[in-house]
Amino acid sequence: MITKLANCILTFFILLFLLGNTSAFAQIVSGRIYAEEDREALSFVTVAISGTSTGTISDIDGRFSLVVPRDYEGNITFQHVGYIRRELSVGQINASPIIYMEKEVTQLEELVFESGENPANILMRNVIENRKKHDPKKFSQYSYKSYTKDVYHIDADTKTADSLARRVKEESLKQANDTSSVATNTKFFKVDSSFNTRHLYVAESYSETKFIEPGLKNETILATQISGLRGGLFAAFSGLYQPFGFYNDILDIFDKDYINPINPSGLSQYEFYIEDTTFFETDTVFVVSYAPKKGKKFDGLTGLLWVHGEDYALTNVTAKSAVANSKIDVSIQQRYDKVLGNWFPVQLNTDIIFKELKFYGRNLILENRRYLSDINLKTNYTQKDFSDVGITLNKVNPKEQKQILDANRAVPLDSMELNTFVAADSLYKSLRVVEGVAESMLTLRLNLGKVDLRVDDFFAINSYEKFRLGAGLETNNRFSERLIMGGYAGYGFGDEEWKYGTNLKYIFDRRTETWVLFTYRKDLREVGTQQFFEGKISSIDDLIRSFQGNLFDRQETYKLSLNRRVAPFLYAQTSISKSQQQSTYDYMYNNTDYANNFFDINEVSLSFRYVRNEQYLDLYGKKVLYDYDFPVLNFKYSHANSGWLGGDFDYDRFDASIEYKKKYILGKSNILIRVAYVYGDVPYGHMITGLGNSTSKLSVPEYFQTMDIYEFLSDKQVGLFFNHNFGNLLISNRVMKPELIFYHNAGYGTLSHPERHEEVTFKTMEDVYFESGLGIKKLIRLNFVDVGYMGWGFDAIYRHGAYAYDSTSDNLFFKLNMKINL
């Protein structure tokens, strides 16, 4: 036992000696590799001691560092797919560490495998089978620091610049006597030449990210520097351009979905070929090219995958969009290192070329670089260390931000980037207005110092008020971190009446979203609507549907609400309210005890909301939802009691909804189920009306497209809404890229006492209501600000079953649909 301990101690000190004296036995050869033809950094080049399996791979920026024996003066081999192999001596590299590689011109021939399976397919089958094991998003916990840099610049292609110069010169000669033209061209030359010394825009940030299961994540942006701007909004989302890892079946890159070659059906959709073998330290790494199979109609990618021969894990990735007629070209690169036996991303690059968005005749290009460091896969975090905030902007003074960035910048700023920061303050003041507008659009608040102007109170549209014009004010965290006070007023030009209200909120704990809220409103409430949670913004479908509203109750309400996040992604809210309301339409509620259209309703409620991976951006005290997964579940129980403060009704109401969306290789499905149940004495406005949208010209998938807006009345109702988008299958060009959609909706409801609701017209739904249809999205595509398309299509929905009309033409409804995409 003592001998073993002595041997361990001796071995330990020998290792310390060796580690401390590495220079005595080895030397480091380092440099940077570029492509000869365009002087762009060449990533993932194999760098090895010639004739051995000892080597490394250059990083995404072309940098490499190779350990060789101290006295070795032999050759180092540089090898990359598509480039001519080079061999340089150690002395040559030390003398000139910038290495250029020349592109290899080869005649591509179709590969034919005489017998057996394509070996690349065998390799990729193992990669696909092991993808969940290596997906960093599946790890139970991790943390890391990251430095991110965004650079917007114009294409510096000399041919483009020369042609522009010639064109301007020719126009100047033709219009030599036109002083305004000469001034314009002089400005052109001045601005165009300035882009040889600086970029359009540069932003850098340094952040800390932590994550634990089940999907709790927070990135705190510790410091930012943005040319011409003061806030950190534009840097907040710069880490979201590409997925964190290359293993999802569907890859969301710059807000567009691509089919990943590493998916269960990848071998039937993509061609794979082994292009080369290289090394990671002494392990074999296979370089595999991939591209969509000929004739396949899907949004795919082309590129290279570096596959570790033992783990079947990705060590490096390149991917470029292979989408016809796209207005942007997107390419990404990812590099992984082994951390505690797991492959983890250490560098993520995104390059976006806006092919039709031009500055002075040249293409706009975005380069995004992200470097990860201090990776820890064994953290001590608990759920108490997380809130629902996924991105936090840490507000510190400029001096502190500069110190943080200077200490943690992964790569130094080059001269053009430095010039951009210097020039920005004088040239980019107008961008600060853009920054303010962007913040206002996200938060629906316009900052006026210690108070904000509430943008969502500016106007409203519906069939009853026609058009409402108003304004609202609310204090912000400059006034108080915990206390929020606000109010609004608006005038409806259709009903010619004022509406107004006020609110007072106190925040006990931002991490758990624990707050109490008092509201007073003298306003309108559309019949049949149900708000699950106070303060949650409705979906775009709810907003479009609300434009059709024409039956409202006038309502004066006092309400007290208490909110708390009780578990990850689970929120609870309870409230008590007292309302006086009167119908604006002809109506009389009539039972043996009560007959009137003026009501006192005193109600207590309890709500729950679960949204998987719901994450917000904390923009200096204002929260903005930016990401969430499915399912989305809502539940609310409401109870009214006539014994409380003189209320007129006793009832219980239960409401629930569940929504789930799933992306598949062939399209995506969406299903929504709504359930409601009311028991007791309930006036018409608090009953369950049909979820109709027949009068709208726009398609709203979460409602019945062929049902009149208030056609049915129920006290028990269930609605099912399903659609599946098969994606683009046939035609794809600049004018059209049609996607086929199938719709099927169904509803059922009953009404216990229809005789109590007088002077209003309604039906009951004891038989099942059906509607089905087909739609085509993006049938016609129009240019959208030169970065994408605005696609227009139509839906044809048919009403059938027990509630179908006698005439076939009356059952068929056509709706427009619209979608903006890249």
Side-chain angles (χ1 to χ4, degrees):
M1 183 73 177
I2 297 175
T3 304
K4 288 183 179 180
L5 179 60
N7 286 336
C8 288
I9 294 172
L10 179 61
T11 302
F12 174 74
F13 279 105
I14 291 173
L15 287 172
L16 282 180
F17 175 81
L18 291 174
L19 290 172
N21 293 273
T22 302
S23 60
F25 300 95
Q27 60 175 317
I28 296 176
V29 179
S30 60
R32 194 171 185 185
I33 310 167
Y34 292 88
E36 178 74 41
E37 72 277 7
D38 57 11
R39 295 299 198 266
E40 291 288 331
L42 202 55
S43 58
F44 311 142
V45 177
T46 302
V47 183
I49 299 174
S50 298
T52 74
S53 60
T54 301
T56 185
I57 296 175
S58 68
D59 68 12
I60 292 181
D61 297 316
R63 294 182 176 88
F64 70 91
S65 182
L66 178 65
V67 178
V68 301
R70 182 187 180 193
D71 297 325
Y72 182 75
E73 292 296 336
N75 289 340
I76 305 297
T77 300
F78 298 85
Q79 188 172 338
H80 192 284
V81 177
Y83 288 82
I84 297 174
R85 176 175 173 160
R86 290 198 67 181
E87 283 197 19
L88 298 171
S89 69
V90 171
Q92 288 176 301
I93 298 170
N94 288 335
S96 179
I98 302 299
I99 293 101
Y100 293 98
M101 296 188 69
E102 185 179 348
K103 204 168 186 64
E104 185 175 24
V105 180
T106 57
Q107 184 67 39
L108 295 178
E109 297 180 0
E110 185 175 355
L111 296 180
V112 178
F113 298 94
E114 297 294 340
S115 63
E117 187 180 4
N118 175 0
N121 287 354
I122 299 173
L123 179 66
M124 292 308 300
R125 186 174 291 110
N126 284 291
V127 173
I128 292 169
E129 288 175 357
N130 286 275
R131 69 191 191 282
K132 291 184 178 179
K133 172 184 174 183
H134 299 301
D135 186 354
K137 293 191 296 299
K138 303 294 184 183
F139 294 170
S140 62
Q141 56 184 297
Y142 57 76
S143 68
Y144 60 83
K145 304 256 178 55
S146 60
Y147 169 77
T148 306
K149 180 166 63 178
D150 283 339
V151 176
Y152 281 88
H153 63 89
I154 61 173
D155 187 358
D157 188 287
T158 55
K159 294 178 182 178
T160 306
D162 291 343
S163 64
L164 284 169
R166 285 196 305 272
R167 188 183 70 186
V168 172
K169 186 175 181 179
E170 289 169 1
E171 291 178 357
S172 297
L173 290 173
K174 290 178 183 178
Q175 304 172 3
N177 297 325
D178 186 348
T179 56
S180 63
S181 177
V182 171
T184 300
N185 291 333
T186 301
K187 181 181 178 182
F188 179 96
F189 276 118
K190 183 178 180 181
V191 175
D192 185 67
S193 63
S194 72
F195 291 136
N196 295 323
T197 60
R198 64 178 176 84
H199 300 300
L200 284 170
Y201 167 92
V202 177
E204 58 177 349
S205 63
Y206 182 71
S207 64
E208 180 179 22
T209 299
K210 56 186 182 182
F211 170 87
I212 63 169
E213 288 290 2
L216 297 171
K217 186 176 181 180
N218 174 254
E219 178 181 9
T220 301
I221 299 178
L222 303 172
T224 62
Q225 181 180 204
I226 305 174
S227 56
L229 303 178
R230 292 291 179 261
L233 173 61
F234 290 161
F237 299 115
S238 61
L240 304 177
Y241 293 143
Q242 62 167 290
F244 189 69
F246 201 78
Y247 291 96
N248 282 356
D249 294 347
I250 310 294
L251 296 170
D252 182 355
I253 303 175
F254 201 62
D255 203 30
K256 183 174 178 62
D257 292 336
Y258 297 89
I259 303 297
N260 190 346
I262 305 175
N263 78 79
S265 303
L267 294 177
S268 65
Q269 298 168 318
Y270 282 86
E271 298 282 6
F272 297 96
Y273 297 109
I274 295 178
E275 303 286 353
D276 197 3
T277 56
T278 181
F279 312 102
F280 175 79
E281 296 174 348
T282 58
D283 297 331
T284 301
V285 175
F286 297 94
V287 184
V288 181
S289 66
Y290 65 93
K293 287 187 174 181
K294 195 172 294 183
K296 290 292 184 180
K297 297 284 187 181
F298 63 87
D299 291 342
L301 300 163
T302 61
L304 297 170
L305 304 171
W306 280 254
V307 179
H308 192 271
E310 183 178 347
D311 297 336
Y312 299 110
L314 299 178
T315 64
N316 300 290
V317 173
T318 69
K320 185 177 181 180
S321 59
V323 180
N325 304 304
S326 174
K327 290 181 178 289
I328 63 171
D329 281 338
V330 177
S331 61
I332 67 170
Q333 297 169 314
Q334 297 186 350
R335 185 166 72 89
Y336 298 77
D337 273 350
K338 215 166 190 179
V339 181
L340 295 179
N342 297 281
W343 293 92
F344 200 85
V346 294
Q347 192 172 350
L348 305 170
N349 282 9
T350 307
D351 291 282
I352 301 165
I353 301 176
F354 299 89
K355 296 187 291 186
E356 297 187 14
L357 186 62
K358 297 182 182 293
F359 279 76
Y360 292 86
R362 302 190 199 177
N363 295 119
L364 178 67
I365 299 174
L366 163 63
E367 293 181 359
N368 171 263
R369 302 290 181 262
R370 195 174 201 202
Y371 305 86
L372 278 61
S373 61
D374 298 341
I375 298 166
N376 181 10
L377 301 184
K378 290 186 176 181
T379 71
N380 296 317
Y381 298 125
T382 67
Q383 292 187 4
K384 292 182 179 180
D385 296 312
F386 294 83
S387 67
D388 57 2
V389 173
I391 301 176
T392 305
L393 286 170
N394 191 29
K395 199 163 191 177
V396 297
N397 64 56
K399 183 178 180 180
E400 288 181 275
Q401 298 208 49
K402 185 179 185 305
Q403 291 173 346
I404 294 172
L405 288 169
D406 288 344
N408 297 284
R409 192 174 283 116
V411 290
L413 297 174
D414 61 29
S415 59
M416 290 187 68
E417 292 164 350
L418 289 169
N419 289 340
T420 307
F421 282 115
V422 171
D425 284 341
S426 59
L427 296 177
Y428 286 42
K429 289 182 179 179
S430 59
L431 276 181
R432 293 171 198 168
V433 178
V434 177
E435 182 182 34
V437 171
E439 288 187 8
S440 298
M441 291 176 63
L442 283 174
T443 62
L444 297 179
R445 298 290 186 270
L446 180 61
N447 184 260
L448 301 176
K450 293 185 178 181
V451 298
D452 294 330
L453 194 62
R454 302 200 313 202
V455 177
D456 47 339
D457 289 324
F458 282 177
F459 65 89
I461 302 172
N462 58 64
S463 296
Y464 178 73
E465 290 180 286
K466 307 304 182 186
F467 182 80
R468 181 201 286 200
L469 189 63
L473 292 173
E474 190 170 81
T475 61
N476 54 41
N477 61 348
R478 293 185 184 180
F479 173 80
S480 172
E481 292 284 346
R482 294 185 178 274
L483 183 63
I484 298 174
M485 298 181 291
Y488 74 95
Y491 182 79
F493 290 90
D495 60 349
E496 299 181 344
E497 290 186 357
W498 282 95
K499 295 88 184 176
Y500 48 86
T502 187
N503 58 275
L504 181 66
K505 182 177 183 179
Y506 187 80
I507 302 171
F508 294 97
D509 186 351
R510 288 188 178 275
R511 185 185 66 82
T512 60
E513 275 293 289
T514 304
W515 46 257
V516 61
L517 171 67
F518 169 77
T519 58
Y520 166 79
R521 294 189 182 98
K522 192 168 186 179
D523 210 323
L524 298 173
R525 177 185 183 275
E526 187 182 357
V527 302
T529 58
Q530 179 68 295
Q531 184 182 33
F532 282 99
F533 260 68
E534 187 78 31
K536 289 292 180 183
I537 298 174
S538 300
S539 69
I540 187 66
D541 287 334
D542 291 334
L543 180 63
I544 295 173
R545 157 57 182 74
S546 70
F547 295 161
Q548 322 310 316
N550 58 60
L551 292 183
F552 289 84
D553 292 324
R554 296 188 187 93
Q555 183 170 275
E556 185 176 21
T557 303
Y558 300 84
K559 186 175 183 179
L560 187 66
S561 304
L562 177 64
N563 186 87
R564 184 176 175 83
R565 183 169 63 91
V566 295
F569 319 124
L570 178 63
Y571 299 82
Q573 191 173 109
T574 183
S575 65
I576 183 169
S577 64
K578 177 177 176 57
S579 298
Q580 289 186 334
Q581 66 183 54
Q582 184 176 20
S583 58
T584 62
Y585 47 91
D586 293 333
Y587 174 67
M588 180 70 70
Y589 181 79
N590 191 2
N591 70 3
T592 55
D593 301 320
Y594 191 90
N596 207 333
N597 72 340
F598 185 86
F599 318 113
D600 281 337
I601 299 179
N602 303 321
E603 189 178 87
V604 62
S605 66
L606 177 64
S607 302
F608 292 97
R609 170 182 169 84
Y610 175 85
V611 184
R612 185 169 173 265
N613 293 337
E614 186 174 44
Q615 292 187 320
Y616 293 83
L617 164 67
D618 186 351
L619 190 60
Y620 310 127
K622 303 182 185 72
K623 291 175 60 175
V624 179
L625 177 66
Y626 74 89
D627 195 21
Y628 65 95
D629 292 328
F630 292 92
V632 175
L633 296 95
N634 286 290
F635 171 82
K636 184 174 186 177
Y637 166 68
S638 305
H639 173 73
N641 193 306
S642 61
W644 298 340
L645 303 175
D648 296 322
F649 296 95
D650 295 277
Y651 64 79
D652 294 280
R653 174 166 177 163
F654 299 85
D655 291 270
S657 71
I658 178 171
E659 183 175 13
Y660 187 77
K661 292 184 180 181
K662 176 72 174 177
K663 295 179 181 179
Y664 302 95
I665 303 304
L666 288 176
K668 49 191 173 185
S669 294
N670 179 53
I671 184 169
L672 170 67
I673 300 174
R674 301 177 189 256
V675 179
Y677 170 77
V678 184
Y679 175 77
D681 289 329
V682 193
Y684 178 78
H686 289 260
M687 296 288 284
I688 309 160
T689 62
L691 300 167
N693 186 55
S694 65
T695 57
S696 174
K697 302 302 181 185
L698 289 175
S699 182
V700 185
E702 295 184 356
Y703 291 84
F704 290 105
Q705 304 303 297
T706 64
M707 182 187 291
D708 287 344
I709 188 168
Y710 309 115
E711 183 174 353
F712 293 93
L713 187 67
S714 307
D715 53 17
K716 305 174 191 65
Q717 189 182 91
V718 59
L720 169 68
F721 304 88
F722 172 80
N723 67 77
H724 181 81
N725 186 329
F726 290 93
N728 175 246
L729 301 175
L730 298 173
I731 305 169
S732 178
N733 55 49
R734 292 178 65 86
V735 179
M736 59 195 326
K737 191 177 181 180
E739 297 175 355
L740 180 66
I741 307 173
F742 168 73
Y743 296 95
H744 183 69
N745 303 327
Y748 173 79
T750 62
L751 182 61
S752 301
H753 298 283
E755 72 282 355
R756 293 181 179 177
H757 308 284
E758 299 179 354
E759 300 182 31
V760 290
T761 303
F762 59 85
K763 301 175 186 175
T764 56
M765 199 165 43
E766 282 83 1
D767 295 313
V768 180
Y769 183 99
F770 287 112
E771 63 178 26
S772 304
L774 294 173
I776 300 178
K777 283 186 178 291
K778 297 189 286 188
L779 181 62
I780 300 295
R781 299 204 296 177
L782 305 175
N783 179 48
F784 182 72
V785 295
D786 289 331
V787 298
Y789 294 96
M790 178 181 289
W792 289 92
F794 71 90
D795 299 327
I797 313 294
Y798 190 77
R799 176 170 173 158
H800 58 96
Y803 299 102
Y805 297 119
D806 294 334
S807 171
T808 299
S809 61
D810 291 339
N811 292 308
L812 187 60
F813 290 75
F814 293 94
K815 307 277 185 177
L816 291 173
N817 61 57
M818 186 268 287
K819 183 177 182 181
I820 296 174
N821 67 325
L822 300 176

